[in-house]
Amino acid sequence: MNSWITLARDALGAARAYAETARGKVAAEVAPAGTPDPALMEQAQHAVHGFGWIAATIAALEATLDWAVRAEAAGRFGAAEELTLRIGFGEYLAQIASGLPMSANEIVRPSAFGCEEAARAFAADPAVARLLAEGNNAATRAQFAALLADCQRPCEALGDDTLDLIRAQFRSFTADRIAPQAHQWHLADDLIPDAVIAEMAQLGVFGICIPEEHGGLGLGKLAMAVVSEELSRGWICAGSLGTRSEIAGELIAANGTPEQKAHWLPRIADGSCLPTAVFTEPDTGSDLASVRTRAARQADGSWRVTGAKTWITHAARADLMTMLVRTDTAKPGYAGLSMLLAAKTRGSEAAPFPDAGIEGSEIEVLGYRGMKEYALGLDGFAVAADGLLGGAEGQGFKQLMQTFEGARIQTAARAVGVAWNAFDLALAYAEGRRQFGKALTAFPRVADKLALMAVETVMARELTYYAARAKDRGARCDIEAGMAKLLAARVAWSAADNAVQIHGGNGYALEYPISRVLCDARILNIFEGAAEIQAQVIGRGLLGGQRAGAAG
């Protein structure tokens, strides 16, 4: 076995031991009786969230080590892979030992847990100390940047011929049909053209995880992650088109009646039905227990929906709304919530919401423009009698929770694609731009950025794939999915920000695509659960005794 792989494995053991020490310290503060106390959790948010970030960082190290082991077994562990492992471990071990960024100005340090002595012992561990010294340093970054400039890339083979072919197919499609037009669509604030959506449907984008008996491909979450990543590498909006179909397909496949499955799933899979998720309300955000939109059953069994929803993506062009509503006002919180399958007429530019009882106003946004965002007003909007998902009231939140893992894995995959997009643009610009008689790639600070962008993107990718594999095995993976989303969103933003810096003043010009990527990257830390929500979920779960699975 490669000596650096062995060293990384030893260092990972030390990192796990340090994390367990931190966990014990935080648990003693917020869960003195063994179960996390919500009031104490809120008071100690910095430490709780910081522990969540440490756990996510260690999970990324685990997934990266697993990737290295698989690459070596396949005879693909060369210089690029070794440097990725060394730099990645060197950087993330240093963050754990000294200070880990939760945001641009929120650094969680060992003192947050009362672990200063444990952190010093961790950093002095022989394997950790060597990786701190010889992992991420000027020499390794320069070597890796030179390989990247020479068109070498860390191994991305998945060990599955079908998945590798899917990646190649969607990379080609994205390069041909998405990337050349994405910036023009963004600047014009245009919807992705119907013709492109039709081509995506033919490739199976909307039915990746829908069972074959209902017209889908039945391939699972890892395939979905690969497709989302590759489409998002051209434009996040292309990768996001499948998200709503993914959510609706999973909701219906897991909870629908036989009639609902037979009616909706084939249409979603072939792209003739474009769904949208209608969950968020103006005053609720992530607090779904406070949803107030009301659905009242009529004498004929149908429903009339009244209320307000916001941040509804692709609402005008959608044919189906998966809508979280309150059907029982006597039951507070989650108990009174139900999920409706609300059919609607696809809108046009002249009449975006032609149905009675629904109005929409567009929310203008910085990026993520290819589908458009809306605030919806519902006033007696009609939903058919058979529109109650599964035919059961009061199950809406439980049904929705079942989709969170897949949605967050998919969002992490989109973030990985955005990070690669930023890297691609930055490298191309740095190679072509000359200053003081040489290309930008010749300057160490530029080379450093490119090297770390590529390393972190690989690490986020492998953590995302690990969560997807766990989901495909049928394992509970809410913590792993949250970790992947948390880390990948930070990596995407960092990559986009550094890519703009490499572009200099041109990065701030609308004509350069990196300006779009920066705007697109920013949303990833907010939707599908903001970073703070993800860290809270991870921290609460691990402090309460739930354990994330090891990748290796």
Side-chain angles (χ1 to χ4, degrees), residues 23 93 166 185 198 337 405 408 419 483 511 529 540 547:
R23 192 199 71 79
L93 291 172
I166 287 172
W185 293 333
L337 299 179
E405 293 176 346
R408 286 171 179 167
M483 288 174 169
E511 67 180 284
R540 183 179 62 222
R547 307 189 71 85

Side-chain angles (χ1 to χ4, degrees), residues 445-456:
R445 285 293 304 282
V446 173
D448 284 351
K449 289 179 176 62
L450 292 167
L452 287 166
M453 287 161 67
V455 166
E456 284 204 283

Side-chain angles (χ1 to χ4, degrees), residues 91-416:
E91 175 57 28
Y92 280 14
L93 291 172
Q95 290 183 11
I96 293 168
S98 303
L100 198 160
M102 296 192 290
S103 70
N105 65 352
E106 293 174 289
I107 309 299
V108 62
R109 297 183 173 89
S111 58
F113 318 109
C115 284
E116 298 95 321
E117 184 177 343
R120 287 192 290 271
F122 166 62
D125 175 270
V128 174
R130 186 174 175 194
L131 280 161
L132 290 176
E134 300 179 35
N136 178 25
N137 57 39
T140 55
R141 293 192 300 271
Q143 292 170 33
F144 189 46
L147 294 178
L148 294 170
D150 193 38
C151 298
Q152 295 189 47
R153 298 291 181 271
C155 178
E156 61 184 11
L158 287 151
D160 183 306
D161 290 343
T162 298
L163 291 173
D164 289 338
L165 286 171
I166 287 172
R167 184 193 296 284
Q169 180 183 35
F170 278 92
R171 183 167 296 177
S172 177
F173 172 79
T174 299
D176 182 49
R177 299 292 291 128
I178 302 297
Q181 304 297 324
H183 200 55
Q184 177 184 332
W185 293 333
H186 164 81
L187 291 176
D189 197 11
D190 284 339
L191 293 169
I192 296 176
D194 288 335
V196 174
I197 292 178
E199 292 178 58
M200 292 172 66
Q202 290 176 355
L203 290 171
V205 170
F206 306 115
I208 293 170
C209 296
I210 290 176
E212 290 183 85
E213 60 265 31
H214 293 298
L217 300 178
L219 289 175
K221 303 301 181 184
L222 183 55
M224 176 268 293
V226 171
V227 170
S228 299
E229 175 189 338
E230 291 301 329
L231 290 171
S232 298
R233 194 167 183 164
W235 192 20
I236 188 176
C237 296
S240 297
L241 265 175
T243 307
R244 271 129 289 282
S245 296
E246 169 73 15
I247 292 171
E250 189 164 10
L251 276 170
I252 297 168
N255 304 287
T257 65
E259 294 77 15
Q260 288 169 339
K261 294 177 184 179
H263 178 78
W264 290 113
L265 292 179
R267 291 169 173 80
I268 293 171
D270 68 16
S272 60
C273 171
L274 297 177
T276 188
V278 184
F279 309 142
T280 306
E281 296 187 358
D283 298 321
T284 61
S286 298
D287 183 15
L288 293 177
S290 298
V291 161
R292 291 185 293 181
T293 296
R294 173 83 169 97
R297 193 185 289 273
Q298 307 300 296
D300 63 357
S302 66
W303 301 86
R304 293 294 182 272
V305 182
T306 301
K309 296 287 187 179
T310 193
W311 292 110
I312 309 306
T313 305
H314 218 209
R317 192 157 57 171
D319 308 289
L320 170 67
M321 298 185 291
T322 52
M323 187 183 297
L324 188 66
V325 297
R326 189 165 297 281
T327 53
D328 190 342
T329 56
K331 293 181 179 178
Y334 301 126
L337 299 179
S338 301
M339 188 71 66
L340 296 182
L341 303 176
K344 63 178 284 292
T345 303
R346 185 178 297 196
S348 64
E349 187 173 346
F353 296 95
D355 294 318
I358 182 171
E359 294 182 350
S361 57
E362 184 180 349
I363 302 171
E364 295 185 355
V365 290
L366 291 171
Y368 197 57
R369 291 180 169 183
M371 294 171 288
K372 297 185 181 291
E373 304 293 325
Y374 291 91
L376 301 182
L378 301 155
D379 186 7
F381 179 76
V383 177
D386 60 0
L388 181 64
L389 180 61
E393 287 191 53
Q395 300 299 305
F397 182 75
K398 179 180 178 182
Q399 292 165 341
L400 181 57
M401 284 289 289
Q402 294 171 356
T403 72
F404 280 177
E405 293 176 346
R408 286 171 179 167
I409 292 168
Q410 209 258 13
T411 299
R414 287 183 284 173
V416 171

Side-chain angles (χ1 to χ4, degrees), residues 356 400 429 546:
L400 181 57
Y429 186 86
Q546 187 179 343

